[in-house]
Amino acid sequence: MIGLEHVLVVGALLFSIGLYVALSKRSAVGILMGIELMLNSVNLNLVGFARFVESPRPIDGQVFTVFVITVAAAEAAVALALAVSVYRLRESIDVDRLNILKW
Amino acid sequence: MPLLFWYDFDPLHSLYNWLRDNTSSEVVYVVAALVAATGILSFVGLGALVNVWLERRIIGRMQVRKGPNRVGPFGLLQPVADAIKLIQKEVLQPRDSDRALFNLPPILVFIPAMLTFSVFAWAPDLVYADLNVGVLFLLAISSITSLAIFVAGWSSNNKYALLGAMRVIAMAISYEIPLVLALLAPVIFAGTMSLAGIVDFQREYDVWLAFLLPTSLFIYAIAATAELNRTPADIAEAESEIVAGFHTEYSGMKFGLFYAVELINSLAVSGIVASLFFGGYSLYGLDDYIPPWIIFIGKIYFFYFGLIWLRGTWPRLRIDQLMAFAWKMLIPMALINIAVAATEVLLWRQLEWDNWVLGVFVAINLVTMVLLIGFFFRMITRDFYRLPRRVRLVHDVSVPSLPATRPAAGS
Amino acid sequence: MEDTAVIVAFYVLTIVTLGSALMVATVRDLVHAVLFLVLSFVGVAGLYITLSADFVAVVQVLIYVGAISVLMLFAILLTPRASRDNASVPYAAPIGVLAGLLGAVIIFVALKTDWATAPGGNKFETTAAEIGKALLDPFVIPFEVASVLLVIAMLGAILLVRPGEGGEPG
């Protein structure tokens, strides 16, 4: 019997794994992978709420999910364009080495 | 159960009735799913074999020669000979290639090809998976193919394979956009994304969507040909250019899988065209007398013959010609087509006009298609030879201009 | 959701998703990590289907697997001299503890809260039609803003990677 709690637990676990990946990777693409995992976990929670929670218009969860996917696509495009552009200047996308602006 | 057609033989029905009465509905579901999947996949497998023979014979005939005719009567055992040849070849794996990733692409590229056949409507009640989002499902799984091609090019540890893979992916993602946009218009007309629903729409209003939306058919046919990497868009297999593209390092049956997948994908695309645009299993009432799935399979092979005809007749296009065609011609055409289709559906359904107005729409859409093709064609060929050629993936080669486009001497 | 098949599918897909997410964190090679990420996307799409969200599942496969993953692989490809070994920063262990603690807090709060669950769950007839109606009636402004956002993102990405001035160094 799958209830709302199961979905929320899966979402929370995926979020924590995504947070670990986003904070602990050196490459910009690695950080982006963590961010996408976190966004996926949020989408999973939203779809779970749309399915299980009493609401006057229960489809709102899925609509919100479609918007999050759209924004994630836009953000991934810009983030990767930034990574490629920075690579052209510094020949590395290791975020520990991109420290020109330090005080 | 009375025998309606000659193929309604009894053992299958009595097995089904026994299962339904004696076991739970889950067992019936699983057994029915397995039997139906075996049926569909055997059609797919046989289709791959038959297509090898069909293609080589028909292209041979179009090139005023006989195709293969040595191996069996009329060369009918040629696919078997090809399969045996590929199986007994030495399977090489390059030493520095990515061990884990090298074996993945032949499997990964086969999955979308098989999944496409699960949403077709073979007869009024004969759909394997009547998804509510059937059309979008087809588009989603065809976008997995580009991922598989990238992994194939990457794991070969071969610059030319990677280059070939990049070109194929660039072309695939460019042609995905007009593909999606072109398939939106039939969905707008039918009001549902399930293929069975679209076939029902065409059967109910007695009009094929090919007549109502010729622009969509035109765009989809071209975009699907490019997605399949068939001539005239087969820069992936241009043997004279990039050795063998992304499947350079694959030998033996792995290459055989890539080749088979191309044929199965052609069959799938023909199936989509037959379902969405040409009425699926219905043939203006003839499907009450002939089994509908025979009509459907006949239509699939008819359009597959059309694809072979294209391959045997047209020369190959260059990559920049293909990209210009997709971005500058097909996408604006598809967008205008959606606007026109949505307006027509709005007028038809919201204002509740009679159904003869569909005939008017047929005429309007045909005129629109001719105007659109004429306009965009003139626009993209007007100053074609002066467009900057930004070929970034290989070193820029300066090509001498053709004599016809040089300024006339003395003017 | 009482069907045995749905429950089994949910657990299998959960294991696939979380397992491939863990492999993203731990595997050595960056391209392998991206491919495990693709597997987790497919797993999440399967989870959407068990939650009766078929349209969202297909959109997830179409956009995440079909577009964003290809984008990430292109980015790896266009940065050939960057390191491709999915390394972690030296202080990765405290981050793991932090992420684990945060996950535990979220799970605790989620299990303790009394969600106003509808008995039997919500049923949708065709999610695509309902999402379409919701996008055009109550959510039309976010819809239009999202399309403007996509155009801006596309223009920004093209401007950033255009050869010529070499991007905007400022």
Side-chain angles (χ1 to χ4, degrees):
Chain A
M1 204 31 210
I2 302 293
L4 181 61
E5 300 86 28
H6 299 82
V7 178
L8 292 182
V9 164
V10 173
L13 286 172
L14 203 58
F15 186 82
S16 52
I17 297 176
L19 187 65
Y20 171 70
V21 170
L23 286 180
S24 76
K25 288 296 166 195
R26 272 212 172 134
S27 159
V29 177
I31 298 179
L32 185 71
M33 290 197 289
I35 295 178
E36 299 296 337
L37 278 175
M38 287 196 277
L39 286 169
N40 267 332
S41 79
V42 165
N43 283 344
L44 191 61
N45 275 4
L46 282 169
V47 168
F49 285 137
R51 173 80 167 87
F52 286 112
V53 169
E54 180 89 34
S55 146
R57 197 175 51 223
I59 200 73
D60 279 357
Q62 298 188 12
V63 174
F64 204 169
T65 307
V66 169
F67 278 119
V68 171
I69 292 179
T70 308
V71 171
E75 159 235 348
V78 174
L80 292 166
L82 273 173
V84 169
S85 177
V86 162
Y87 170 83
R88 291 215 184 123
L89 288 175
R90 304 278 292 166
E91 210 167 282
S92 157
I93 52 175
D94 184 347
V95 294
D96 281 342
R97 295 225 210 119
L98 304 172
N99 51 4
I100 313 179
L101 275 180
K102 67 180 176 189
W103 59 86
Chain B
M1 159 106 37
L3 282 180
L4 291 170
F5 295 118
W6 52 268
Y7 58 89
D8 262 345
F9 58 96
D10 251 342
L12 215 53
H13 273 135
S14 52
L15 171 68
Y16 174 70
N17 288 336
W18 182 85
L19 273 179
R20 193 189 49 191
D21 297 331
N22 295 349
T23 54
S24 59
S25 63
E26 281 116 359
V27 173
V28 174
Y29 187 77
V30 168
V31 169
L34 284 175
V35 169
T38 314
I40 295 181
L41 289 180
S42 55
F43 170 71
V44 168
L46 272 182
L49 278 183
V50 167
N51 289 358
V52 172
W53 181 81
L54 267 182
E55 221 170 292
R56 293 177 67 168
R57 281 295 279 197
I58 294 181
I59 289 185
R61 281 285 165 193
M62 287 179 183
Q63 293 169 348
V64 197
R65 58 179 172 92
K66 294 187 192 166
N69 59 353
R70 290 205 174 238
V71 190
F74 296 106
L76 279 171
L77 293 179
Q78 179 69 35
V80 179
D82 273 344
I84 295 178
K85 173 195 87 165
L86 285 171
I87 290 177
Q88 53 92 31
K89 277 200 175 179
E90 178 184 5
V91 176
L92 295 167
Q93 186 164 12
R95 180 187 57 167
D96 292 325
S97 77
D98 213 335
R99 244 350 125 62
L101 287 184
F102 191 70
N103 298 318
L104 188 62
I107 309 171
L108 203 57
V109 82
F110 209 79
I111 297 177
M114 284 193 294
L115 280 178
T116 321
F117 286 92
S118 62
V119 284
F120 288 159
W122 304 84
D125 278 330
L126 216 59
V127 184
Y128 188 67
D130 191 8
L131 299 178
N132 269 334
V133 285
V135 170
L136 208 56
F137 172 76
L138 292 173
L139 298 166
I141 59 178
S142 73
S143 62
I144 298 181
T145 322
S146 42
L147 205 65
I149 293 178
F150 181 87
V151 174
W154 177 274
S155 63
S156 307
N157 200 28
N158 180 344
K159 284 196 190 60
Y160 298 106
L162 194 58
L163 218 49
M166 301 295 298
R167 292 204 315 185
V168 168
I169 294 177
M171 205 177 65
I173 61 177
S174 313
Y175 275 94
E176 256 171 36
I177 305 178
L179 200 81
V180 174
L181 291 175
L183 285 184
L184 276 184
V187 170
I188 293 178
F189 260 97
T192 169
M193 278 199 273
S194 87
L195 265 78
I198 297 183
V199 173
D200 271 343
F201 171 82
Q202 298 179 71
R203 216 160 51 130
E204 181 186 340
Y205 292 100
D206 256 344
V207 59
W208 282 351
L209 280 172
F211 303 132
L212 261 184
L213 292 167
T215 330
S216 268
L217 177 61
F218 174 75
I219 299 173
Y220 180 74
I222 295 180
T225 315
E227 289 275 333
L228 292 172
N229 297 327
R230 281 182 78 92
T231 327
D234 68 342
I235 49 169
E237 303 148 10
E239 288 100 9
S240 50
E241 291 184 23
I242 297 251
V243 195
F246 61 93
H247 47 71
T248 312
E249 298 281 349
Y250 287 90
S251 63
M253 206 53 205
K254 295 185 188 157
F255 169 74
L257 272 178
F258 278 115
Y259 186 57
V261 163
E262 181 184 327
L263 296 173
I264 296 176
N265 268 333
S266 318
L267 216 55
V269 161
S270 315
I272 297 176
V273 169
S275 290
L276 285 183
F277 292 105
F278 282 96
Y281 54 79
S282 73
L283 195 57
Y284 289 113
L286 202 60
D287 53 312
D288 293 328
Y289 307 107
I290 308 179
W293 48 273
I294 292 186
I295 297 181
F296 187 55
I297 294 180
K299 282 189 191 173
I300 291 183
Y301 275 99
F302 184 68
F303 296 115
Y304 182 62
F305 173 73
L307 278 175
I308 298 178
W309 196 354
L310 277 185
R311 177 179 178 177
T313 320
W314 283 357
R316 185 179 296 141
L317 292 174
R318 273 195 334 254
I319 175 95
D320 61 329
Q321 287 172 330
L322 285 170
M323 305 285 258
F325 190 65
W327 289 99
K328 295 183 190 168
M329 179 155 165
L330 288 185
I331 293 183
M333 267 177 70
L335 289 172
I336 296 179
N337 180 44
I338 292 181
V340 168
T343 316
E344 289 177 354
V345 170
L346 181 75
L347 294 175
W348 178 44
R349 290 216 194 259
Q350 296 287 114
L351 300 184
E352 298 197 357
W353 285 354
D354 296 323
N355 287 346
W356 56 263
V357 81
L358 285 174
V360 178
F361 290 157
V362 167
I364 294 179
N365 284 344
L366 198 58
V367 169
T368 312
M369 172 175 96
V370 171
L371 286 177
L372 278 178
I373 293 181
F375 173 68
F376 280 107
F377 191 69
R378 285 190 63 78
M379 208 179 75
I380 70 171
T381 57
R382 197 184 343 149
D383 50 358
F384 192 85
Y385 292 102
R386 289 202 305 265
L387 288 172
R389 289 178 58 234
R390 317 201 64 137
V391 180
R392 295 192 198 95
L393 296 175
V394 294
H395 291 297
D396 229 346
V397 177
S398 65
V399 172
S401 59
L402 295 177
T405 61
R406 287 190 209 128
S411 75
Chain C
M1 299 214 291
E2 302 93 9
D3 281 334
T4 326
V6 176
I7 298 179
V8 166
F10 184 83
Y11 281 118
V12 167
L13 285 164
T14 307
I15 294 175
V16 165
T17 310
L18 292 176
S20 41
L22 278 172
M23 297 294 275
V24 169
T26 59
V27 87
R28 277 301 169 88
D29 185 30
L30 199 59
V31 178
H32 291 180
V34 173
L35 291 175
F36 275 114
L37 188 71
V38 169
L39 187 61
S40 80
F41 288 157
V42 174
V44 169
L47 284 171
Y48 289 160
I49 295 186
T50 63
L51 294 170
S52 315
D54 49 352
F55 182 75
V56 178
V58 175
V59 164
Q60 156 104 0
V61 172
L62 184 62
I63 293 186
Y64 268 109
V65 173
I68 293 186
S69 315
V70 174
L71 207 59
M72 286 197 234
L73 289 171
F74 263 72
I76 294 180
L77 206 86
L78 291 174
T79 58
R81 272 181 284 253
S83 77
R84 289 213 183 115
D85 62 341
N86 205 21
S88 301
V89 292
Y91 44 94
I95 294 181
V97 171
L98 172 71
L101 273 179
L102 189 65
V105 166
I106 298 179
I107 292 178
F108 179 71
V109 170
L111 289 178
K112 274 286 196 179
T113 314
D114 183 25
W115 305 104
T117 56
N122 298 319
K123 304 268 181 273
F124 309 106
E125 299 123 15
T126 44
T127 58
E130 290 195 29
I131 291 180
K133 278 192 270 222
L135 276 179
L136 286 178
D137 204 352
F139 292 108
V140 61
I141 295 184
F143 183 51
E144 304 296 336
V145 169
S147 47
V148 173
L149 173 75
L150 283 172
V151 170
I152 294 176
M154 202 160 60
L155 284 175
I158 293 176
L159 272 176
L160 277 173
V161 294
R162 208 168 48 163
E165 314 103 31
E168 305 280 331

